[in-house]
């Protein structure tokens, strides 16, 4: 949806690093785009959380849906900083590869098919996506405030003490910060940086060699 509608997603916009490396974008413009889109994505995710909470969806299946949402959120905030960071790197490596693949497709069908497999791989592998987590963890925090969801959690063997660790501070420090940094590294270095070097910088040695041998090469 993001690629075909022209919407803005922070993790995909990490590929703007390519424009910066090509000197078509200043560092200030790059950072400006990143923080604005990151913040807008966060606001959008929180609006979805409020809508889902207000719809009563967390009560579905005798509140087991809400309980599973809390369980997922707990798993995310209990990752170590290094684990969350590396999972973020792996995630946006695949996400930005998906966006890169979409560049080569001319039709919407081609874009969808090209994007599907890298995104599918990152989801089933359990990698960490900062924007997705902007929904999952706040949704877990809100769901945990519901008494019926707490009862479902207890029936799953999750104690109230464990749920009490699910806070906004834990979310930002233990998950959102390391995952965001990992997403930046994964997309900026492993995709934008490597492909820029392969397709742009690889021309430089040839030109230097040509000059050193007084050979005229036209591209």
């Amino acid at each position: 949806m993001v690629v075909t509608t022209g919407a803005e997603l922070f993790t995909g916009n990490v590929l703007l690093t390519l424009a910066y490396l090509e000197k078509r974008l200043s560092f200030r413009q790059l950072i400006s785009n990143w923080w604005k889109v990151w913040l807008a994505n966060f606001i959008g995710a929180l609006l979805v959380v409020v809508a889902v909470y207000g719809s009563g969806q967390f009560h579905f299946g005798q509140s087991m849906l809400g309980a599973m949402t809390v369980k997922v959120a707990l798993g995310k905030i209990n990752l170590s900083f290094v684990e969350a960071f590396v999972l973020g790197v792996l995630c946006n490596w695949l996400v930005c590869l998906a966006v890169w693949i979409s560049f080569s497709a001319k039709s919407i069908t081609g874009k969808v098919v090209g994007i599907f497999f890298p995104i599918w791989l990152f989801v089933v592998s359990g990698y960490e996506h900062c924007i997705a987590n902007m929904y999952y963890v706040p949704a877990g925090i809100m769901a945990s405030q519901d008494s019926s969801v707490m009862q479902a959690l207890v029936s799953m063997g999750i104690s109230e003490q464990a749920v009490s660790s699910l806070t906004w501070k834990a979310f930002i420090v233990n998950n959102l910060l390391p995952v965001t940094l990992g997403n930046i590294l994964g997309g900026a270095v492993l995709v934008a940086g490597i492909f820029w070097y392969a397709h742009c910088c690889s021309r430089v040695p040839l030109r230097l060699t040509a000059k050193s041998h007084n050979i005229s090469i036209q591209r």
Side-chain angles (χ1 to χ4, degrees):
M1 290 173 63
V2 170
V3 169
T4 58
T5 62
E8 297 289 317
L9 181 67
F10 168 75
T11 46
N13 282 20
V14 172
L15 281 177
L16 288 174
T17 304
L18 185 65
Y20 167 70
L21 293 172
E22 283 286 281
K23 298 181 180 180
R24 298 181 183 181
L25 198 67
S26 70
F27 184 72
R28 182 177 180 178
Q29 289 174 313
L30 177 67
I31 298 302
S32 176
N33 177 275
W34 281 359
W35 79 259
K36 289 175 183 176
V37 175
W38 186 93
L39 181 61
N41 288 166
F42 202 173
I43 293 170
L46 293 178
L47 289 174
V48 175
V49 171
V50 171
V52 171
Y53 183 82
S55 72
Q57 191 174 16
F58 291 138
H59 296 148
F60 287 6
Q62 297 180 332
S63 296
M64 290 304 293
L65 178 58
M68 284 302 301
T69 303
V70 175
K71 185 178 179 180
V72 169
L74 282 171
K76 290 180 178 296
I77 67 161
N78 284 315
L79 294 168
S80 70
F81 191 97
V82 173
E83 288 173 336
F85 176 79
V86 175
L87 288 170
V89 172
L90 293 170
C91 170
N92 214 33
W93 185 16
L94 290 170
V95 170
C96 287
L97 280 176
V99 176
W100 193 278
I101 289 170
S102 74
F103 295 158
S104 65
K106 296 181 179 179
S107 66
I108 291 180
T109 300
K111 290 180 182 295
V112 171
V113 172
I115 289 170
F116 174 81
F117 291 101
I119 301 302
W120 165 80
L121 181 57
F122 112 69
V123 172
V124 300
S125 298
Y127 297 153
E128 293 289 309
H129 188 282
C130 67
I131 308 303
N133 290 354
M134 289 174 181
Y135 167 79
Y136 283 121
V137 182
I141 292 172
M142 290 196 69
S144 68
Q145 307 304 310
D146 191 285
S147 59
S148 64
V149 171
M150 279 303 307
Q151 291 176 1
L153 284 164
V154 171
S155 71
M156 294 170 60
I158 300 174
S159 67
E160 292 187 18
Q161 183 178 2
V163 177
S164 66
S165 66
L166 186 56
T167 64
W168 288 100
K169 180 180 178 181
F171 167 44
I172 294 170
V173 175
N174 298 353
N175 185 273
L176 191 57
L177 175 60
V179 171
T180 298
L181 294 175
N183 287 165
I184 291 173
L185 179 63
V189 177
L190 298 183
V191 181
I194 287 178
F195 278 109
W196 173 76
Y197 180 81
H199 292 292
C200 300
C201 286
S202 60
R203 297 192 297 248
V204 175
L206 178 59
R207 287 172 176 168
L208 292 175
T209 302
K211 289 181 180 179
S212 64
H213 289 83
N214 296 317
I215 299 173
S216 177
I217 294 179
Q218 294 182 350
R219 291 186 178 274

